[in-house]
Amino acid sequence: QVQLVESGGGVVQPGRSLRLSCAASGFSFSSFGIHWVRQAPGKGLEWVAVISNDSKNKYYADSVKGRFTISRDNSRNTLYLQMNSLRPEDTAVYYCARLYGGTWFVDYWGQGTLVTVSS
Amino acid sequence: EIVLTQSPGTLSLSPGERATLSCRASQSVTSDYLAWYQQKPGQAPKLLIYGASNRATGIPDRFSGSGSGTDFTLTISRLEPDDFAVYYCQQYGSSPPMCSFGQGTKLEIK
């Protein structure tokens, strides 16, 4: 079955960096685009970034542009999110989420990993 | 950037009643690019409706979506206990390539 498992979350000081990973299994990873979507504690969903199946296309929310980088390694079935210059407002559960067909809708989500930015 | 505004923020209804949730966009959205999700506490969201009116696999027909332009609606015809959750709309576009979610509507048991 389709599985997406995020890791790499934790507590980090403002201004520091963190890299999240998302390990995929149960489907042909190299055939699907993937989002990162985050959710601050008790808040709604916020789109972060998306990457196409072949890494040729990457798009970011304005709130993270220039600080976060999305990438993937299809040989390892793994998605990444490099987060630099972290701010307290980046505190959230980060989900990786598989794109549905040729759309930007999501048919499968991971369980999420919590990132806390605090001094 | 297109902003999605959902209303009401909280909807209190009883099982068996009809729920109508609204999602209004700050500018016109292509219907093909509008979806609805359900999220329960401690869980990831679940795709309900895509392309404004198409039910995702396994979604019961008491869930329906409609709308066009800037106004979209999710209707749950007869609420069941399992339907009480938070609902989000999502849109994406190509110029520029961006995606956004509404702030959510909490559907609670009255």
Side-chain angles (χ1 to χ4, degrees), chain A residues 15-91:
Chain A
R16 303 298 290 265
S17 298
L18 202 62
R19 189 177 82 157
L20 305 183
S21 299
C22 169
S25 60
F27 66 102
S28 177
F29 181 70
S30 61
S31 298
F32 289 84
I34 310 282
H35 287 297
W36 284 103
V37 177
R38 68 186 180 184
Q39 187 168 35
K43 302 297 184 182
L45 302 170
E46 181 186 12
W47 175 70
V48 173
V50 67
I51 186 168
S52 60
N53 66 308
D54 58 3
S55 299
K56 288 183 178 178
N57 297 301
K58 305 175 186 180
Y59 303 105
Y60 299 89
D62 288 343
S63 58
V64 306
K65 200 174 294 182
R67 299 188 299 124
F68 289 11
T69 301
I70 189 171
S71 63
R72 64 192 294 161
D73 185 341
N74 285 347
S75 68
R76 296 177 181 268
N77 289 348
T78 303
L79 173 76
Y80 303 100
L81 185 68
Q82 177 66 43
M83 304 186 294
N84 299 332
S85 303
L86 282 162
R87 304 167 179 169
E89 55 265 36
D90 296 319
T91 294

Side-chain angles (χ1 to χ4, degrees), chain B:
Chain B
E1 177 187 349
I2 295 178
V3 176
L4 299 178
T5 302
Q6 293 186 239
S7 61
T10 301
L11 184 58
S12 300
L13 294 170
S14 299
E17 290 193 295
R18 179 187 188 91
T20 302
L21 286 67
S22 173
C23 175
R24 178 162 290 178
S26 59
Q27 53 188 284
S28 187
V29 172
T30 303
S31 296
D32 287 348
Y33 300 160
L34 193 287
W36 290 92
Y37 298 84
Q38 176 194 69
Q39 187 179 33
K40 297 178 181 177
Q43 296 184 17
K46 175 183 179 181
L47 179 65
L48 299 175
I49 301 287
Y50 65 94
S53 61
N54 302 291
R55 276 186 297 277
T57 303
I59 302 304
D61 60 7
R62 65 178 185 276
F63 290 89
S64 63
S66 63
S68 63
T70 60
D71 290 298
F72 297 87
T73 300
L74 174 70
T75 302
I76 311 171
S77 59
R78 296 171 307 280
L79 285 167
E80 296 191 0
D82 191 50
D83 298 337
F84 292 91
V86 180
Y87 291 83
Y88 296 94
C89 55
Q90 176 212 6
Q91 70 79 35
Y92 70 93
S94 57
S95 299
M98 295 281 283
C99 177
S100 59
F101 291 89
Q103 84 281 14
T105 289
K106 181 179 182 181
L107 179 57
E108 65 177 24
I109 299 177
K110 187 174 182 179

